[in-house]
Amino acid sequence: MNFLPRICILLTALTTLATLTSAPVTAASDTAKIVYEPPLTNVAMDKIVQSELYPQLAYLAQKLLAEKENTTLNGYPAFNGKDKFLPGKIASGLGHLLLNAKHEGKDLAPYLRDFRESAELIVGMDNHTWGIYYYLLTLYELKKNGLLEQALTAKTLDALKKKLDWRSFVTQTDFKLIQLPTNYYGVAFGVARLRMLLGWEDETASQRLLKKLLDHYEQHSGTYGFSDETEGEGRFDRYSILLISEICGRFIETGMEVTPELKIKLRKATDIAFRLGNVSGDGFSFGRSIGAYGETAVLDILTVSAYLSILSPQEKEYAYAYSTRIVAKYVDFWYDKKTRSVDLWGQGRKTDDYRGIHRILGENFSLLHQLISANDLWRQMGYQDTLPKQDLAAWLNQTQPVFEFTWFARGEYDRALAIYRDAGHVFSLLMVNGGASQHGNSPYYPLPFSNLLVAGIADSGYQHPQLLPKFTLNDGSELIATAFIKNIRNTKNQQTYEVSYHQDSLTRIGPVNQKPVPDARIQLNTSYRLGAGTITRTDQYLPTEKLGVRQVSLEFASFSEMPEINGNTIRFNKGDLSEFTVTGMDHCSARASLDTENFKSPNGPMKTLVSCERKAFSFDTPITISWSIKYH
């Protein structure tokens, strides 16, 4: 059975792992609050990995070896040339099976044979950047365990020594990345370091690339410690928070000591991971490449922090409990037993084109690698048979602030994240610039994201700008308020928290692949009020010249259903969102969103589309547009 997050389940007295592979759903009224908790949350993480993940990996390996270049998964060809990391991911998967067989004391002969056969199958295939890193990490682990020469023929190993090289994506003269985002310095460093550890080159390149990596991180994380994904445009997302954990992970994997300065930055990322904490195993809810990867990002941050003893003993116990829920959710929610594949694309789910279904085999191997690698670290920390704490919700309520504000950058524009915890929900109010390629996509809008309450839509463009009024002027220009955020402030008034900011320009809608274009004809003051069960956004729009406005539109794709309309208030009879109210618009309507590509989120389909409109007017004095959501 597939479960959507926040479906209420009843866990009865379950005593064996075999009885924990599914859980019943309790009957509930349509308006009652429902909270999803994955089965297996009271089982040791290692037992979940051994009983659920390794069998998935073994199935994929045997399917690959049987079908070879003609391998398909869920009807999609695996070797279609669109996943340039796939050979490295395959090597990683077969390597995990081999190393686990050694750990379990099994006969290694069939695992060695399978690894050799898969290596000969993929040796001539395109393999780039991350794929190179995955492959080299596997070879290094095999070497440490005395298995490298048994797992590969001399001919294949010689070919890999030539192919698996940082020089394929970094210039040799000035050590610059070749048409890649700056976070790839971490990949390049890892590749060079692993080549050195394998005895294939000296340490010169890895030292230079490490300096490039740390210099970039320092330059673009600045005072606050979170990495801008661009060269200073202000695009911060889950990867900006995860990157420091990945850097520390590269140090751990290659036997380097993590510096105190890196640990300080990692602690900041860890604080955010805890603030996102929840019993559902949910992770990041904003930015690109989330869904399952939004959860493994939290898993990575907490696991690396625990391994490096950055956490207090109590924090470590609950980091393990939260991490176990992430692994358990993968088994229950992200993995589809019918197709025997991870599902990021069906059942109303949608992810970025970058992780499209054309990469289905690689996404299976990639996610299994992340989950198994995290478990390996917890196992090294002595948690192999440890049952996770069951009072995670109570601990989070006691230790995590109701509201926390985190700066990403300050300067001409401000970039920040506010996290608000209320009624079992976690809201992430993101205030950044998506930059070229992402500014038009709703996962980067300044919205209070919360899984299955307020969500962005991957690669959405401006067609349906979620919860942002869109101005269409008489000259045909279309403007929304996304990227040019200044003077962010946050205050508290009794039990209500307020976040406000100013934009001296709206964004003129154009191609997403160019940088956002400011249009100063309209300015904006925005405030969010975050209170018990209610979030309100109020926008005051100020024209700097007299404008003819053809229309203002506002849309909200909601997960709640069965709407009743009373003026500009929409009440929902089913779902966690109970009411949506708009002021400053002429009228609103609501309809089923029909499960089209325009209304899918990483976690499932939106159910209702609310559309509001303000008709043509002459715009020469300030106007106010406001919306509020009520939830339970």
Side-chain angles (χ1 to χ4, degrees):
M1 176 180 289
N2 288 310
F3 293 82
L4 288 178
R6 310 206 194 294
I7 291 179
C8 181
I9 66 172
L10 171 64
L11 292 178
T12 58
L14 301 167
T15 57
T16 65
L17 184 61
T19 64
L20 286 165
T21 56
S22 63
V25 180
T26 61
S29 68
D30 285 340
T31 58
K33 179 175 175 54
I34 50 179
V35 177
Y36 167 78
E37 295 191 48
L40 306 182
T41 55
N42 59 347
V43 178
M45 182 190 295
D46 188 61
K47 284 187 170 59
I48 302 174
V49 170
Q50 294 295 335
S51 66
E52 300 287 338
L53 301 193
Y54 275 111
Q56 293 176 25
L57 201 53
Y59 167 77
L60 294 171
Q62 292 309 307
K63 186 174 179 61
L64 173 71
L65 293 169
E67 300 178 10
K68 297 185 169 56
E69 293 93 339
N70 298 317
T71 300
T72 62
L73 194 57
N74 196 19
Y76 290 87
F79 296 106
N80 52 30
K82 296 181 180 179
D83 187 346
K84 302 300 184 182
F85 312 148
L86 183 55
K89 294 175 182 178
I90 291 172
S92 174
L94 275 289
H96 280 303
L97 288 169
L98 173 54
L99 293 167
N100 191 61
K102 182 180 181 184
H103 173 77
E104 296 288 302
K106 297 178 181 178
D107 176 18
L108 297 186
Y111 295 94
L112 288 165
R113 181 190 64 240
D114 288 350
F115 191 92
R116 279 194 300 272
E117 187 177 339
S118 68
E120 290 169 11
L121 172 67
I122 62 179
V123 67
M125 297 179 181
D126 262 1
N127 188 30
H128 298 187
T129 58
W130 274 110
I132 294 171
Y133 177 79
Y134 287 139
Y135 212 136
L136 285 170
L137 180 61
T138 301
L139 299 184
Y140 177 56
E141 291 298 323
L142 294 177
K143 179 181 179 180
K144 286 196 300 182
N145 283 272
L147 297 172
L148 183 58
E149 283 71 26
Q150 300 174 65
L152 292 167
T153 65
K155 180 180 178 181
T156 301
L157 187 58
D158 185 62
L160 292 173
K161 182 177 178 179
K162 296 173 183 176
K163 287 175 64 73
L164 304 178
D165 200 332
W166 54 269
R167 295 167 182 85
S168 64
F169 60 101
V170 177
T171 61
Q172 297 181 53
T173 52
D174 52 6
F175 286 77
K176 289 186 176 180
L177 294 168
I178 301 172
Q179 295 182 333
L180 288 168
T182 51
N183 60 61
Y184 276 79
Y185 275 122
V187 183
F189 157 68
V191 168
R193 173 77 177 166
L194 288 165
R195 285 179 61 85
M196 185 272 290
L197 291 170
L198 287 164
W200 294 356
E201 63 180 77
D202 64 24
E203 64 182 6
T204 303
S206 64
Q207 289 180 338
R208 288 194 63 178
L209 286 166
L210 175 60
K211 185 176 186 306
K212 281 276 191 180
L213 169 65
L214 296 179
D215 285 351
H216 166 79
Y217 193 93
E218 193 62 35
Q219 179 181 355
H220 292 292
S221 67
T223 304
Y224 303 105
F226 302 99
S227 180
D228 189 342
E229 281 218 74
T230 63
E231 296 282 357
E233 292 176 31
R235 190 173 87 198
F236 294 87
D237 55 23
R238 62 106 192 170
Y239 207 85
S240 304
I241 302 163
L242 170 64
L243 182 57
I244 186 61
S245 177
E246 286 195 349
I247 293 171
C248 293
R250 300 299 85 83
F251 278 49
I252 294 169
E253 290 163 350
T254 60
M256 294 179 66
E257 183 176 352
V258 178
T259 66
E261 291 78 14
L262 292 178
K263 289 182 180 180
I264 290 170
K265 289 182 170 62
L266 179 57
R267 178 69 226 200
K268 294 181 178 181
T270 305
D271 289 342
I272 290 180
F274 274 132
R275 290 168 198 152
L276 296 175
N278 61 89
V279 298
S280 301
D282 295 341
F284 289 93
S285 57
F286 55 84
R288 64 185 175 90
S289 293
I290 50 173
Y293 286 92
E295 287 153 18
T296 57
V298 170
L299 175 67
D300 189 275
I301 293 167
L302 294 178
T303 301
V304 172
S305 296
Y307 185 85
L308 293 174
S309 299
I310 290 172
L311 310 182
S312 71
Q314 185 185 72
E315 286 177 323
K316 190 173 183 179
E317 292 295 319
Y318 287 97
Y320 174 70
Y322 185 10
S323 296
T324 301
R325 287 176 183 258
I326 290 170
V327 177
K329 182 182 173 185
Y330 171 84
V331 171
D332 180 58
F333 179 74
W334 294 111
Y335 182 71
D336 187 335
K337 291 181 174 63
K338 292 180 181 178
T339 62
R340 304 191 75 170
S341 168
V342 66
D343 186 4
L344 309 178
W345 314 277
Q347 304 178 76
R349 303 171 195 169
K350 183 180 180 181
T351 188
D352 309 72
D353 288 344
Y354 171 74
R355 296 195 187 278
I357 200 166
H358 58 269
R359 285 176 45 161
I360 185 170
L361 182 61
E363 295 308 313
N364 276 272
F365 277 121
S366 176
L367 285 164
L368 287 169
H369 167 70
Q370 293 186 31
L371 296 164
I372 289 170
S373 297
N375 180 62
D376 285 345
L377 288 181
W378 284 110
R379 199 160 59 180
Q380 291 176 44
M381 289 183 269
Y383 280 73
Q384 181 166 342
D385 299 314
T386 301
L387 299 180
K389 296 280 190 182
Q390 294 300 293
D391 59 342
L392 177 61
W395 183 81
L396 289 168
N397 287 336
Q398 291 167 4
T399 61
Q400 300 308 303
V402 172
F403 177 89
E404 190 68 25
F405 183 89
T406 300
W407 284 109
F408 289 151
R410 302 183 76 176
E412 180 183 5
Y413 300 107
D414 288 348
R415 311 298 175 196
L417 173 69
I419 296 176
Y420 177 61
R421 303 175 60 86
D422 179 46
H425 301 287
V426 181
F427 296 91
S428 298
L429 175 53
L430 183 70
M431 294 163 283
V432 299
N433 174 0
S437 83
Q438 293 293 343
H439 66 87
N441 295 329
S442 54
Y444 286 86
Y445 291 175
L447 301 176
F449 296 105
S450 182
N451 283 356
L452 297 186
L453 274 179
V454 177
I457 300 167
D459 298 330
S460 64
Y462 289 118
Q463 184 177 3
H464 297 279
Q466 177 81 307
L467 284 170
L468 293 185
K470 180 171 72 173
F471 283 73
T472 302
L473 305 185
N474 287 347
D475 65 4
S477 301
E478 294 181 305
L479 312 178
I480 64 172
T482 59
F484 304 105
I485 296 172
K486 295 184 172 184
N487 303 323
I488 300 176
R489 300 286 185 268
N490 71 94
T491 58
K492 180 182 179 183
N493 182 10
Q494 296 181 341
Q495 298 305 309
T496 299
Y497 300 86
E498 182 168 331
V499 178
S500 62
Y501 56 82
H502 174 71
Q503 295 193 60
D504 55 13
S505 299
L506 301 191
T507 302
R508 186 183 309 151
I509 292 178
V512 174
N513 59 1
Q514 71 178 23
K515 293 182 180 180
V517 176
D519 192 316
R521 289 178 292 175
I522 302 177
Q523 299 185 349
L524 172 64
N525 293 318
T526 295
S527 70
Y528 275 101
R529 293 195 312 278
L530 314 171
T534 304
I535 294 178
T536 300
R537 171 178 169 134
T538 302
D539 289 335
Q540 183 188 43
Y541 290 93
L542 305 98
T544 59
E545 60 183 82
K546 187 173 182 177
L547 297 171
V549 177
R550 187 183 305 166
Q551 180 193 54
V552 182
S553 60
L554 175 66
E555 293 188 344
F556 176 36
S558 168
F559 296 96
S560 289
E561 300 176 79
M562 300 172 62
E564 294 180 0
I565 302 174
N566 181 9
N568 285 355
T569 294
I570 294 87
R571 294 183 176 88
F572 297 94
N573 291 294
K574 184 177 180 181
D576 281 2
L577 187 72
S578 58
E579 186 175 292
F580 178 62
T581 300
V582 178
T583 63
M585 304 292 279
D586 293 332
H587 65 86
C588 295
S589 62
R591 65 172 177 85
S593 59
L594 303 179
D595 193 23
T596 68
E597 287 299 310
N598 292 325
F599 305 112
K600 294 180 178 180
S601 80
N603 289 276
M606 284 84 165
K607 300 298 181 64
T608 304
L609 176 65
V610 178
S611 301
C612 303
E613 179 188 23
R614 180 166 178 160
K615 297 178 181 178
F617 64 99
S618 179
F619 189 18
D620 55 3
T621 58
I623 64 170
T624 298
I625 298 173
S626 177
W627 58 255
S628 66
I629 58 173
K630 293 184 178 180
Y631 53 87
H632 50 259

